[in-house]
Amino acid sequence: MKVLDFPLTKITLWFIFGILFSYYCQPAITIIVFAFIVGLIAFLTLYFTIRKNKKAIPFFGMTTYYISFFIGSLTLISHTESLQNSHYTHCKKAFETPQTITFTLREKLKGNTYNDRFTALISNINNKAYSGKVIVNIEKDSIKEDLKIGHILRANTSLQYNSSNKNPNQFDYGKYLADKQIYAQLYLNKAEISINQNSKKDIWYYSGLLHARIIRNLEKAHFNKAEMNVALALILGQQQEISSDIIQDYQYSGATHILSVSGLHVGFIMLFINFILKPIPNTRKGSFIKLLSVLLSLGIFAIISGLSPSVLRSVVMFSFVAIGSHLRRTGNIYHTLLVSVLLILLFEPYFLFDVGFQLSYIALFSIIWLQPVLKNIREPKHKITVYIWNALTVSFAAQIGTLPLCLYYFHQFPGLFFVTNIVIIPILSFIMIAGIIVMLLAIFSPPPLVLIEIFEKSIYFLNETIHWVASFEWFVIRDISFNSYYLLTFYLMIISAVIWAKKPDYSKLIILLISLISVQVSLIYTKKEIESQHEMILYHTKKNTLISERTGKNISIYSSDTLAAKASKNNVLNAYLVGNYGNIKSVSKIKNTLFFNGEKILVIDSSGIYKNKIQPDILLLTQSPKINLDRVLLDLHPKFIISDASNSYSIQKKWKITCLKKGVPFHSTSENGFYKMK
């Protein structure tokens, strides 16, 4: 049976289209509710009509998909917390002046050099009930007491909106947090915090206690810190303390996915539980006991790991796989996946925009759909070659399915991914089994030294293996430009190729050729689009003024510090280069006068020197020049003023006030981000 012939497939797709519609179009809720009610009336009418008139069945199907679409739209709107009247974003004074804010710690995040970081739920502001999730940044060593999940804190502080990306083509952290329903952050120190003696004792509180107990018992057993941090990531999905060097090794080797608990880990756990329960006969009662044991084990694992979204997704996904297996519906694994997708998105529609969610399901679907095709290419005879061939085909199937998405989001490709997967899967299998045993023992007491040493050495061996693979850096292809046109057409080509490979015929070959043409069209269109563009960008960079002028792919850089500009290629400029298929043509010292599309740009730097007769269209202020802006405006009459991040904050505030008084538009990159001229 074809996947697209399943009614559930079409219902799920229309449900997803509804989520996308609300996300990108942001329609009024009254319109969505009205459209849904109209559809519901039509649905009920047709439901009773088709009993007597079978000709109405197609119309009944259409109304089903119509309702699915608007249920998806309503689901996203109802889960957008900022639309609720009690949400803290409606308390504007909390963003302007310090208020007494009470919140409960929910999840520990990876800290940075200066702060410990948590997600927290706000309960009230100035004793008035408010709700919503925030990120709390607490200055390190500012409090002696260890903060735990469930602690209720009170602080006299103000909320700060999430900062958006200040430079072009950079990762939009503010949007990323907004998709997780986090719209603000708190920055606190010791003087601002008071800890309530009572804690909020919910499932996250007890999960946090259990997790803390495991770590404490592992430390008592003298588990090496570096290996323990990796173990916590592999088994429990806790990546907070892993060093950046280890993370980089896993990225370069193409093994990042094993550091965050995903379908791979939960699948290992399910296989391990099924292996233990193998002696139980496959009778109706025995099968039910197995199912109950698997579901219970997965639930306990989710609680121990801290109920993180990635773990919950994987647990739900494999719970449905287990249920499908119990119901003897293994042939309809696609049905099982669709049910799990639909259920997850009903409760958390914003997961649809989570990269981990997208990669998890695409990887699993690719393995189920594509791996049999690859496996049938050849049939090895020996057991070792069978294992290697199976591992290779699974790895390639997952990689082919996720490749366009990885290139779109991460712009790099680890060439040795297949070597990594062949080598680490046996090691990871042992680590997962040993890790589960060690973690279960650590719930009650420090595990035996022998087990700790075996587990520790196995992780050390895994890290060294990953490091060895990652050392071949020339196999990691970085800075791959890949846009949304490529994403869509490459997936169209992959899907067409697999459909044709499964059962070749003339019509499928035509579709495959059309998909290949669509890829070429996307390449040609992108090239023409890039070549027709001419723009100038003023970047948000501190202590240095940085400007780029792009004509097609060729980019000229102007900077107050050419050495710093060349060094910044790896951060500020690199994202722009990759996003616009650019090549740096030249790097030169910034001049006092620039010209772009007939407009004259005057640059006043720290010297404060300028000529009165220039009369520029745009005035660029850099390096905190000591000038009287009122006099400058009177002398030069600029149409627009730009201030970059090389200026001090206090001077920019004065300039902004002056420009408001004079009615001259003022753009500060510190507040508004980069400035683009076309």
Side-chain angles (χ1 to χ4, degrees):
M1 185 184 291
K2 296 179 180 179
V3 178
L4 291 176
D5 289 338
F6 295 157
L8 184 62
T9 302
K10 296 172 184 176
I11 290 170
T12 303
L13 285 175
W14 281 105
F15 178 81
I16 290 172
F17 291 150
I19 292 175
L20 294 172
F21 174 72
S22 282
Y23 184 81
Y24 289 107
C25 300
Q26 299 179 351
I29 190 169
T30 50
I31 295 173
I32 300 297
V33 170
F34 176 76
F36 172 72
I37 292 172
V38 170
L40 185 62
I41 293 170
F43 175 83
L44 293 173
T45 303
L46 287 168
Y47 176 77
F48 291 107
T49 302
I50 59 173
R51 294 183 176 182
K52 298 178 180 178
N53 185 4
K54 299 298 181 183
K55 293 181 180 180
I57 290 178
F59 298 101
F60 177 73
M62 291 172 62
T63 56
T64 302
Y65 305 142
Y66 176 90
I67 286 178
S68 300
F69 178 88
F70 285 103
I71 288 176
S73 294
L74 285 172
T75 300
L76 187 87
I77 291 171
S78 64
H79 283 83
T80 305
E81 295 179 8
S82 60
L83 297 177
Q84 299 172 7
N85 292 329
S86 62
H87 197 263
Y88 63 77
T89 50
H90 299 291
C91 183
K92 299 300 180 185
K93 62 182 180 181
F95 291 89
E96 297 165 357
T97 57
Q99 309 290 323
T100 303
I101 302 174
T102 304
F103 54 90
T104 305
L105 299 182
R106 169 56 62 85
E107 181 186 1
K108 193 176 190 329
L109 303 175
K110 187 175 180 65
N112 54 37
T113 308
Y114 308 102
N115 299 308
D116 292 317
R117 303 173 72 244
F118 299 83
T119 59
L121 299 176
I122 287 179
S123 55
N124 66 71
I125 300 174
N126 285 344
N127 295 321
K128 185 178 179 181
Y130 280 96
S131 63
K133 190 187 294 185
V134 293
I135 287 181
V136 180
N137 301 270
I138 301 175
E139 188 178 332
K140 284 189 173 180
D141 302 322
S142 64
I143 54 175
K144 294 180 180 179
E145 185 177 347
D146 287 337
L147 293 175
K148 296 182 177 64
I149 304 305
H151 270 171
I152 299 172
L153 308 183
R154 177 171 289 189
N156 186 37
T157 186
S158 58
L159 293 166
Q160 295 187 28
Y161 287 111
N162 298 320
S163 59
S164 58
N165 52 328
K166 300 291 186 182
N167 288 303
N169 302 105
Q170 286 187 335
F171 173 65
D172 194 340
Y173 186 58
K175 181 178 176 297
Y176 167 79
L177 290 179
D179 287 343
K180 295 181 177 294
Q181 305 304 297
I182 299 173
Y183 301 92
Q185 300 196 36
L186 294 172
Y187 291 86
L188 306 169
N189 56 42
K190 181 179 179 180
E192 297 170 327
I193 299 173
S194 63
I195 303 175
N196 197 316
Q197 291 183 350
N198 298 319
S199 298
K200 186 176 181 180
K201 296 182 178 180
D202 53 14
I203 190 169
W204 282 271
Y205 169 79
Y206 291 108
S207 175
L209 285 181
L210 196 60
H211 181 243
R213 183 180 176 85
I214 289 172
I215 294 176
R216 190 164 57 250
N217 283 331
L218 291 177
E219 288 173 344
K220 286 180 181 178
H222 305 291
F223 203 133
N224 184 278
K225 188 70 175 176
E227 278 72 40
M228 186 178 77
N229 291 335
V230 175
L232 292 172
L234 292 172
I235 311 299
L236 304 181
Q238 304 293 325
Q239 302 181 45
Q240 295 90 337
E241 305 299 330
I242 300 181
S243 70
S244 56
D245 291 337
I246 291 177
I247 290 175
Q248 181 175 286
D249 283 344
Y250 278 78
Q251 288 174 341
Y252 287 177
S253 64
T256 314
H257 58 284
I258 73 172
L259 283 180
S260 56
V261 173
S262 60
L264 177 67
H265 303 70
V266 179
F268 269 127
I269 292 170
M270 194 172 82
L271 289 173
F272 179 59
I273 299 301
N274 282 330
F275 176 77
I276 293 173
L277 300 174
K278 202 170 184 180
I280 299 176
N282 285 324
T283 59
R284 179 176 292 184
K285 187 176 180 181
S287 181
F288 180 74
I289 291 171
K290 287 182 179 181
L291 173 65
L292 200 61
S293 301
V294 167
L295 296 180
L296 188 62
S297 300
L298 294 182
I300 291 170
F301 172 73
I303 293 170
I304 293 173
S305 63
L307 297 166
S308 65
S310 62
V311 175
L312 288 174
R313 282 198 306 266
S314 300
V315 165
V316 170
M317 183 169 67
F318 275 92
S319 294
F320 274 95
V321 170
I323 293 168
S325 177
H326 170 71
L327 296 174
R328 303 292 192 272
R329 292 182 178 176
T330 52
N332 282 347
I333 186 66
Y334 301 111
H335 245 145
T336 304
L337 288 180
L338 287 168
V339 171
S340 67
V341 168
L342 192 59
L343 185 67
I344 288 172
L345 294 180
L346 270 170
F347 287 94
E348 289 290 348
Y350 277 95
F351 275 176
L352 182 62
F353 309 100
D354 184 272
V355 180
F357 177 86
Q358 296 169 14
L359 290 174
S360 291
Y361 273 99
I362 289 175
L364 187 57
F365 180 82
S366 300
I367 291 169
I368 295 167
W369 192 46
L370 179 56
Q371 196 260 349
V373 177
L374 298 176
K375 188 178 178 181
N376 290 333
I377 293 174
R378 67 185 301 270
E379 295 181 6
K381 296 179 180 179
H382 304 290
K383 285 187 177 181
I384 296 176
T385 54
V386 167
Y387 161 75
I388 294 173
W389 181 243
N390 286 341
L392 270 174
T393 53
V394 167
S395 180
F396 271 100
Q399 196 68 48
I400 290 169
T402 58
L403 179 60
L405 208 60
C406 288
L407 293 178
Y408 180 72
Y409 284 120
F410 308 119
H411 302 288
Q412 69 176 29
F413 174 70
L416 292 177
F417 71 90
F418 58 93
V419 176
T420 304
N421 287 324
I422 289 173
V423 173
I424 68 169
I425 285 177
I427 306 172
L428 189 62
S429 302
F430 175 79
I431 286 174
M432 289 299 297
I433 295 169
I436 292 168
I437 295 170
V438 168
M439 296 298 171
L440 288 173
L441 292 174
I443 294 174
F444 306 101
S445 63
L449 185 60
V450 176
L451 274 179
I452 289 292
E453 287 184 353
I454 293 171
F455 190 37
E456 186 181 299
K457 294 299 180 185
S458 62
I459 292 175
Y460 174 79
F461 181 66
L462 174 66
N463 288 343
E464 288 300 305
T465 305
I466 293 292
H467 179 71
W468 176 74
V469 176
S471 65
F472 299 97
E473 287 191 37
W474 56 87
F475 283 101
V476 182
I477 306 170
R478 301 185 187 89
D479 303 333
I480 303 170
S481 298
F482 203 85
N483 60 21
S484 56
Y485 306 139
Y486 294 178
L487 179 68
L488 293 173
T489 54
F490 269 71
Y491 268 122
L492 179 62
M493 180 184 68
I494 290 169
I495 293 168
S496 303
V498 176
I499 291 173
W500 176 80
K502 279 180 173 285
K503 196 174 181 181
D505 60 34
Y506 180 74
S507 60
K508 291 174 184 176
L509 180 61
I510 294 297
I511 294 171
L512 175 59
L513 293 174
I514 291 171
S515 69
L516 288 170
I517 293 170
S518 72
V519 171
Q520 294 174 334
V521 169
S522 69
L523 293 170
I524 295 168
Y525 180 78
T526 298
K527 184 180 179 181
K528 289 192 70 175
E529 188 179 48
I530 292 295
E531 287 178 349
S532 66
Q533 292 174 348
H534 183 208
E535 63 185 23
M536 181 176 276
I537 304 287
L538 171 66
Y539 297 87
H540 173 75
T541 54
K542 296 181 179 180
K543 300 180 181 180
N544 179 33
T545 299
L546 185 63
I547 298 174
S548 70
E549 182 178 358
R550 179 170 67 86
T551 304
K553 291 185 177 181
N554 296 320
I555 298 176
S556 299
I557 304 297
Y558 306 99
S559 176
S560 58
D561 185 345
T562 54
L563 292 176
K566 291 175 182 178
S568 66
K569 181 181 181 297
N570 291 325
N571 40 63
V572 174
L573 281 175
N574 196 52
Y576 182 71
L577 293 172
V578 174
N580 294 278
Y581 305 79
N583 298 307
I584 294 179
K585 183 181 178 182
S586 64
V587 178
S588 56
K589 192 84 172 177
I590 193 169
K591 300 175 183 178
N592 290 110
T593 307
L594 299 170
F595 294 91
F596 180 78
N597 282 353
E599 289 189 316
K600 187 186 295 181
I601 304 164
L602 175 64
V603 180
I604 300 180
D605 56 21
S606 57
S607 66
I609 299 172
Y610 63 93
K611 293 181 181 179
N612 294 349
K613 297 180 181 180
I614 288 184
Q615 301 293 309
D617 296 291
I618 297 173
L619 176 61
L620 173 58
L621 302 173
T622 71
Q623 310 297 323
S624 300
K626 295 180 180 179
I627 56 173
N628 185 323
L629 190 56
D630 287 290
R631 188 183 302 162
V632 172
L633 293 176
L634 190 63
D635 291 340
L636 302 177
H637 304 288
K639 298 175 184 177
F640 196 84
I641 293 181
I642 306 173
S643 170
D644 70 4
S646 66
N647 299 296
S648 70
Y649 179 71
S650 57
I651 288 177
Q652 291 190 69
K653 283 183 69 177
K654 293 177 182 178
W655 289 342
K656 185 177 181 180
I657 293 169
T658 301
C659 288
L660 284 171
K661 289 179 181 178
K662 299 292 184 180
V664 180
F666 179 80
H667 181 98
S668 168
T669 62
S670 299
E671 290 184 8
N672 309 112
F674 69 95
Y675 185 76
K676 180 188 289 189
M677 291 169 274
K678 286 188 175 182

